[in-house]
Amino acid sequence: MVNNEIPLGIMDNLAQSFGVTVPALKLLLGIIAGYPFALTYRKYIFNQSEQKQCFYLIACGLTIGFWNYGYGMFHCVLSILVTYAFIHLLKGIVMISVVFAFNFIYLLAGYFYSSTDSYDITWTMPYCILVLKLIGVAFDVYDGARPKEKLSSDALKTALSEPPSLLQMLGHSLFPSACLVGPQFSMRRFLDFTGGKFHFMGPNGEFLPPDSAKWAAVRFCMGVFYVGLFQILSLFVYDDLIISEEFASMSFIKRMLMLGVWGRYIMYKYISCWLLAEGACVLFGISYSGEDGGVKKWDGVENIKLSVFENSTEFNHYIMSFNVNTNQWVAQHIYKRLKFLGNRYYSQGGVLLFLAVWHGLHTGYYLTFLHEFIVIYTERDLQSIIKSSETLTAFFGHPVVKSGMHILLRLYTFVFMGWFLLPFTYLQFPKYWRAFSNCSYIGFLVFYLWPVLYRPILRKVIKKKKSA
């Protein structure tokens, strides 16, 4: 009997044993590769010249990039070179506009030609991280040429008095522990790092590497822990669970609870990668954020605030704790620069549209960020109504009610985070609309009816109470 099966390679076998795809496994190994590169840096490179440090970081970043995406990394290198030329040849608003337009058009073209109907791990993944870095450098160079009194406090910290060199651009863009999934950090932080500002002197006056190994180990262990949680949850849920007949046949209560578990399963994929990447950044030492009571802090590139995330009682807590560095980047470079619109909601809408386009062309991304706008608007509006009513404030301030509400709100955020992620995960309209149907359109009934139904009713009830 002839065996016509094609023998599987090592990566294929490993991927099958972990229940993931080969690109996903290579991505995880690429993130973990940041640790040996960081150890080598601490041992041999940290006290070398800035040029030698940049050469080392570039070599490591390219190695990781080519391991994951092969010649697709040339797209990233090309964009770095072109952006470098624009920053040095152009000035002011023209420079910002050209850098912004070039990188976004290139990214969207990449999405158009390489994306499928599911979440893709291709060269566009590191490139979408790179786009923010390159646009951020352009903004920082632009801010460096402006009067200081016109800059925000954030811009003052990151402004560059002169454009970076090509080595600095490449080293910052290809930083080995941040080039695949982030975290974002400014060119100013990178220059302080390669300039030795995050290192320290030993008792005998010797130059020592960053004192960050213990915190790096903590974040690494947390990353491994969340990888473990993800694997455990994968025994009960899977990506396509919500659009399955199995899910549709469950009772309403069970569907809502499973929706919450599925949402955690999806989120833990991102959290575990961010923790592992952050741990490698900490080991390099680029995460230094000052001292607190004489103790050095290493949370400067923290991308997930676990205590806030795991104890969320409103969706704003998720926003504050999830993908922190990207949110900070968007707040500094997009939200604050849209003040000329004169309306907070217009600025928020502009930010969410930017994020949707940045993520890709699938309609699911745009609906996800529309969800975010509606959910945050609903929560803030409800909170404002409660604060404006003495009766409601007193009622919800009662210790017993407060304790009960805390439990309900924890359950609310747990369940609806799953609903929130449906279009982000399924991307295509037929899939995520089936998911909404299987979830009884619960999110639309709760949030989208708020401004047209629930809010007017609540206002009338409060008004009657006051008049009585």
Side-chain angles (χ1 to χ4, degrees), residues 34 39 94 97 108 127 138 146 152 160 162 169 171 220 222 234 239 259 293 299 311 326 330 387 397 425 449 457:
L39 290 172
V94 174
S97 302
L108 293 178
Y127 188 69
R146 298 172 64 201
S152 67
L160 299 170
E162 59 184 33
M169 286 283 293
F220 173 79
M222 287 182 176
S234 70
D239 286 353
L259 178 62
D299 58 356
N311 293 284
T326 299
V330 171
K387 289 179 181 178
T425 302
L449 290 181
I457 292 175

Side-chain angles (χ1 to χ4, degrees), residues 363-413:
T363 59
Y365 292 130
Y366 297 83
L367 185 55
T368 297
F369 289 103
L370 177 62
H371 281 353
E372 181 175 330
F373 184 88
I374 295 295
V375 170
I376 295 300
Y377 171 81
T378 300
E379 289 186 345
R380 287 178 176 172
D381 199 33
L382 181 57
Q383 290 167 356
S384 176
I385 291 174
I386 292 173
K387 289 179 181 178
S388 66
S389 169
E390 294 182 3
T391 302
L392 290 176
T393 301
F395 174 76
F396 287 110
H398 190 280
V400 176
V401 176
K402 198 172 183 179
S403 299
M405 284 302 300
H406 182 78
I407 296 172
L408 288 175
L409 289 174
R410 289 289 301 277
L411 184 62
Y412 150 78
T413 53

